[in-house]
Every structure is written in C-alpha cells, then in structure tokens.
Amino acid sequence: MTKSTETTYDLVVFGATSFVGQILTQYLFDSCGVAGEVTWAIAGRSESKLAELKSGLGANASELPIILADATDDDALKTMCEQTRVVISTVGPYALYGEPLVKACVETGTDYCDLTGEVQWIRRMVDRYEDQAKKSGARIVHCCGFDSIPSDMGVWFLQQQAEKTFGEPCLDVRMRVKVAKGGLSGGTVASMMNIAKEAAADPKLRKELANPFSICPPEHRSTVRQPSLKGAEFDKTFNVWLAPFVMSSINTRVVHRSNAMQSARYGKEFTYDEAMMTGTGTKGRLTAYGITAALAGFFTASAIKPSRWLVERFVPQPGEGPTPEAQKAGFYDLRFVGRTQDGKTMITKVTGDADPGYGSTSKMLGEAGMCLAFDIPADQAGGFWTPASVLNDKLLERLTSKAGLTFEVVETR
Ligand SMILES: NC(=O)c1ccc[n+]([C@@H]2O[C@H](COP(=O)([O-])OP(=O)(O)OC[C@H]3O[C@@H](n4cnc5c(N)ncnc54)[C@H](OP(=O)(O)O)[C@@H]3O)[C@@H](O)[C@H]2O)c1
C-alpha cells in the first residue's frame, strides 16, 4: 500500500542544523523558496538552533515551518513522518542515531533518503525492515551523497551508454578518482571512526565489511573475485600511480546492490573497483604510498581507545567542516573504464562543481529527495533501493540540470 499523497509537506529535512543540513536547507530555500509549489519543513531536536538557521536563510524564511523531533523519540518521529511524503535525514552517525527514523518511515510508508556510508548499518536496516517497507510502500534510499551517487550513477550511466553503443553492458568497470578537492566535516569523521571502532570489537562484522556483496540480497552473492586495491599500484590505462580510495568500501557495495536490484543488468559476473590517481613518476609513487600509510594509520588509531583520543583532537568536531570558500573552490573528476566480455572499451567521466563532501553532497541529497517526492511513479514498490536502481534517469536529469554534475562518454574503442 502506497502512502496517501494528502500530507502537509512534500519534504522534511531532518537534521537541518547539521553541517551538511544547513547547506542543504539553503540550497532548498534558494531553489524552492517557501510556500511555493514545493511544500517543505526543517526538523531537528533544537528549536533555538532551527530558528537561528531559519533567520539566516533570506527573505520570507520566517514562514518556513519547523518540526521538533529527537532522533530517539519514536512518537515524535512518527508524527513527523505522518506529515510528509519524504524525509531527508542528515542526522548521523546513522549507526548511532538513524534506526528509529528508518523504523518510523517504514511503519508510516514514508519515503526516505540519507547520507549514510555505514555499510554495517545499512545491512542491519535491510535485515530488520525490508519486508515491512515492501508492505508499507516506503522507498528507502541510503547513500545519496558523494558516497555513493557519483559512483552508482556513474556506473549506471556507463552501462546505459555501453548497451546503446556495444549492445551489451561492460562486465568489468574501474572507477579512478582523478581529482577530489574538498575537506572533511566532523560528522563524516565521527562516522568513519565509529565504523573502525565497531569493526575492531566484532570479528564477524569485520568479515561482513570485507565482503563486496555485503548489502546485496543473499541470492546475489557472486563468487566472482572482486579486484580491490590494498596499496600503491601503477595503472597502465592512465599511466599514473594509484592509491586506495577511502570511499570505495561503501561505493563498491552500493554499485553491487544496484546491479542486484536491477536483476543483474550489469551481469552476474560483473566486477567493480575504485582507486585514486596520485600522479606520475616518483612524486605519484610516493603520494600513493603516503596515502596508503595514512589510511591504515587513521583506521588503526581510531579502532583502539588509547590512540582514538589523539585522532579526535586533530580532526574536525561534529558541526565543523570546510568554509563556504573551500566548498566553492572544490570540485571532482572521476573516470570510469568499462570493458565488455570481448574487450570493447568505454571511458566515461563524471564531474561535480563543488567540494565533494558538502557543497556537492547537499545538492545531490536535495535532488534525490525531490526525485523521490516528484519523479518516481506512485506505484514504485517499497523497499531498500539504491540511487541508481530506483531514481536512475530522473535523478541523472536533476543532477545535470540542477546539481552541477556532468556525465559524458570520453572514449570508445
Ligand atoms: N555521504 C556523504 O558523502 C556524506 C557527506 C557529508 C556528511 N555525511 C554524513 O552525514 C551525517 C551528518 O554530517 P555532518 O558533518 O553534517 O554532521 P554534524 O554537523 O555533526 O551534525 C549532526 C546532526 O545530528 C543532529 N543530532 C544528533 N543527535 C540528535 C538527536 N538525538 N536528535 C536529533 N538530532 C540529532 C545534530 O543536531 P543538533 O544541531 O541539534 O546538535 C546535527 O543536526 C554524518 O553521518 C556524515 O557521515 C555523508
């Protein structure tokens, strides 16, 4: 049963006071205004913070409604969900605060999207709530930020082009980060540290996190070995050095779930990996080794108590993140190399016009929410979807026309 469209709001931004939520709220205010065609509200636990946020948005912002709800208050969350068709949540780390809201959305048949990159939490949510979401009609879409929309939609776009050009999808796809310029926020660091902490305490979870199919339905757990860069390596396609890419552990999982949710459209033996280009020559090589060591150091230090406090002293705290100037100066450029079974090759490019984690992420999340509210068919089944498997061409259109992303084919051979 799909939820009635007779709700007060099209969208509610829950966690509007978060670092990323504030940028998202400004983006929605600038693009939709208040009391216009799109009806929306901001929500969170602190009335004074929400009022302060509202006062800085611009003319007429005083009419923007506020909903008060704590992430632990089941009744308040349910009341919030009953008033809207879509909830966009930026209250994280999601593994700590996110479950009651997912539960409320699933119970009320409310569509939902968020910015989580926490694989272990997504697995838990799917296991606990997927059956109920299918019954209530709630479309739940995690990972609607830099992780994992550019990767997920980038692969979807490449496969669509490959089907058009070669008549078949690419069986192997490699994503290479050419440029990603931008900073980290306290919320993201807190989420990454929480994953490291949970994994250190639970060997079963470590095994699950290492599985490329960890968020796929059980019947889609392919035995095909997935490539995964563990250290510095030279890439012959682009003639550059590569280092592991920190977001690959979530992005690869989302791309495989998208494949599963589209009845293995990319192939049952599809392989996918991600890495970061670090340049040519000795400098590129040393940077690749440096990034590998820094990543290992961060996760090891975050996992154990004695060193975790030290990491916490030097990273951004919750509520902190890159300045507006740094967000504007940021951008990213990702390359996808796809090969069909018989060796036909396609290279595509995805770019974003702001820093990946905040400026661009807030626009992608906002458009994912709008897409859920306005673009997908009312009879689209409920369940735990991915951006590519449920929002696909409609989201691509929004990302390119409104959110500053580009998708293009660079080369076919
Ligand atoms: N996927 C991506 O590309 C991407 C990019 C950026 C961020 N993220 C994720 O997005 C999330 C937010 O990041 P951020 O840096 O913006 O976080 P943040 O600034 O630390 O904000 C956290 C938010 O959670 C709210 N909150 C905490 N406990 C709550 C409770 N009990 N009830 C209601 N609200 C509560 C806070 O409300 P108060 O303001 O009232 O304290 C605040 O609005 C993180 O999980 C981060 O990992 C993902």
Side-chain angles (χ1 to χ4, degrees):
M1 187 193 68
T2 308
K3 183 177 178 151
S4 149
T5 50
E6 298 301 309
T7 56
T8 310
Y9 305 114
D10 298 314
L11 297 172
V12 167
V13 179
F14 183 57
T17 55
S18 71
F19 188 82
V20 71
Q22 293 178 44
I23 309 170
L24 167 65
T25 301
Q26 187 71 58
Y27 175 72
L28 290 176
F29 181 77
D30 292 343
S31 46
C32 311
V34 182
E37 271 181 29
V38 180
T39 53
W40 64 293
I42 52 174
R45 63 178 166 177
S46 162
E47 192 168 11
S48 58
K49 277 190 175 184
L50 289 162
E52 194 187 327
L53 167 64
K54 214 167 84 155
S55 68
L57 290 173
N60 295 336
S62 57
E63 289 168 41
L64 184 63
I66 284 179
I67 299 173
L68 285 181
D70 190 285
T72 56
D73 183 340
D74 291 341
D75 292 340
L77 293 173
K78 208 167 168 192
T79 305
M80 175 175 81
C81 291
E82 280 163 353
Q83 296 176 67
T84 184
R85 293 197 288 126
V86 178
V87 176
I88 303 178
S89 175
T90 69
V91 174
Y94 294 87
L96 299 181
Y97 309 123
E99 179 166 354
L101 177 58
V102 169
K103 182 169 177 274
C105 284
V106 162
E107 283 174 359
T108 54
T110 307
D111 293 344
Y112 165 99
C113 58
D114 70 18
L115 287 181
T116 186
E118 297 145 87
V119 173
Q120 83 288 14
W121 182 68
I122 298 172
R123 179 74 259 165
R124 276 206 293 273
M125 295 305 95
V126 172
D127 288 344
R128 289 180 189 166
Y129 302 109
E130 189 167 41
D131 289 345
Q132 209 180 343
K134 283 179 179 164
K135 283 187 199 133
S136 75
R139 282 79 58 110
I140 309 293
V141 191
H142 296 301
C143 307
C144 292
F146 183 63
D147 37 320
S148 301
I149 280 184
S151 300
D152 194 29
M153 290 300 296
V155 173
W156 183 86
F157 172 78
L158 179 139
Q159 297 294 26
Q160 208 196 23
Q161 298 302 316
E163 281 164 9
K164 267 192 219 160
T165 311
F166 305 138
E168 58 181 324
C170 291
L171 204 53
D172 302 304
V173 178
R174 310 273 168 268
M175 188 280 263
R176 303 295 178 236
V177 181
K178 190 168 178 210
V179 186
K181 193 169 168 238
L184 284 177
S185 80
T188 297
V189 175
S191 299
M192 286 161 68
M193 290 179 73
N194 188 54
I195 293 178
K197 199 170 101 185
E198 278 195 42
D202 182 352
K204 205 169 141 232
L205 174 63
R206 282 203 295 280
K207 205 171 158 211
E208 191 63 27
L209 288 175
N211 183 344
F213 303 100
S214 56
I215 55 170
C216 286
E219 65 279 10
H220 188 86
R221 294 205 164 197
S222 159
T223 52
V224 177
R225 208 180 150 271
Q226 295 293 320
S228 170
L229 194 75
K230 297 277 185 287
E233 198 177 290
F234 192 73
D235 180 298
K236 288 187 186 135
T237 308
F238 295 107
N239 283 320
V240 289
W241 281 90
L242 299 176
F245 178 48
V246 65
M247 302 300 182
S248 70
S249 55
I250 172 67
N251 293 338
T252 51
R253 279 51 175 170
V254 172
V255 167
H256 284 299
R257 185 166 174 92
S258 282
N259 188 26
M261 300 299 285
Q262 296 173 93
S263 313
R265 177 181 174 183
Y266 311 157
K268 281 211 153 61
E269 309 214 319
F270 169 71
T271 69
Y272 179 66
D273 84 333
E274 298 190 341
M276 203 169 160
M277 298 188 198
T278 59
T280 54
T282 310
K283 193 171 168 223
R285 184 162 165 258
L286 290 176
T287 310
Y289 279 106
I291 289 176
T292 307
L295 280 177
F298 173 82
F299 281 106
T300 309
S302 303
I304 39 179
K305 218 173 178 181
S307 48
R308 195 179 310 133
W309 72 270
L310 192 64
V311 178
E312 277 165 355
R313 282 189 57 190
F314 291 102
V315 296
Q317 299 304 305
E320 296 175 359
T323 61
E325 294 73 35
Q327 289 164 35
K328 266 199 192 127
F331 64 100
Y332 51 91
D333 178 340
L334 316 177
R335 304 297 165 110
F336 295 77
V337 183
R339 285 195 185 82
T340 63
Q341 198 156 23
D342 56 0
K344 292 195 269 299
T345 301
M346 176 173 280
I347 301 181
T348 60
K349 172 177 162 181
V350 175
T351 64
D353 70 349
D355 77 295
Y358 302 94
S360 188
T361 281
S362 52
K363 293 193 273 187
M364 289 187 271
L365 179 61
E367 294 306 334
M370 296 282 274
C371 197
L372 272 173
F374 297 108
D375 301 342
I376 64 170
D379 61 356
Q380 172 70 52
F384 281 69
W385 294 93
T386 56
S389 61
V390 71
L391 306 177
N392 44 63
D393 56 331
K394 303 284 194 294
L395 181 61
L396 192 82
E397 157 62 23
R398 284 183 171 277
L399 295 174
T400 50
S401 64
K402 296 173 191 290
L405 274 80
T406 67
F407 292 75
E408 67 180 281
V409 176
V410 176
E411 190 182 323
T412 46
R413 55 183 132 95

